[in-house]
Amino acid sequence: MNRRILFWGSGALLLGLAGVAVATFEPFEQKGPVFIVSDHPITEDQVRQKMQSEGYSNLQVIRQGRYFVATGSKEGMTGTIAVDSFTGRLRGGDDDD
């Protein structure tokens, strides 16, 4: 009888620990800095408006998978960023793409 209790108690503990691990897991994609604060997926228009509000012109925004890749000019310089459409965060600099 005591072995059954120990067996089922151990199983319940392991399931509980697995549940906590899943609930607190953060995907790797959420490591970049926040570009657009949002609790839901962002749109191309939001990326365009954010870039314009920061002084960028000649904007081109295209979708590549889950990212919006935005290219624009500011103060004579051209720059490109990639924004995660699910999180609003910039893609980290350690990507090999």
Side-chain angles (χ1 to χ4, degrees):
M1 180 84 140
N2 287 338
R3 287 185 184 179
R4 283 187 183 172
I5 292 172
L6 182 62
F7 175 76
W8 287 108
S10 298
L13 179 64
L14 287 174
L15 283 174
L17 290 174
V20 169
V22 168
T24 59
F25 176 75
E26 287 190 36
F28 295 110
E29 291 83 16
Q30 293 191 1
K31 298 297 181 190
V34 174
F35 184 66
I36 297 174
V37 177
S38 179
D39 59 352
H40 52 79
I42 62 169
T43 66
E44 178 181 337
D45 286 335
Q46 287 175 297
V47 173
R48 187 177 305 280
Q49 289 172 2
K50 175 71 172 176
M51 297 272 302
Q52 287 173 338
S53 73
E54 292 188 3
Y56 285 88
S57 60
N58 302 323
L59 289 172
Q60 180 182 17
V61 181
I62 58 171
R63 183 148 193 161
Q64 289 183 350
R66 72 181 281 162
Y67 292 94
F68 289 113
V69 178
T71 303
S73 300
K74 181 178 179 181
E75 299 174 358
M77 304 283 289
T78 301
T80 300
I81 61 167
V83 183
D84 189 321
S85 65
F86 297 154
T87 65
R89 292 178 177 267
L90 296 175
R91 181 166 46 196
D94 59 348
D95 259 349
D96 291 337
D97 289 349

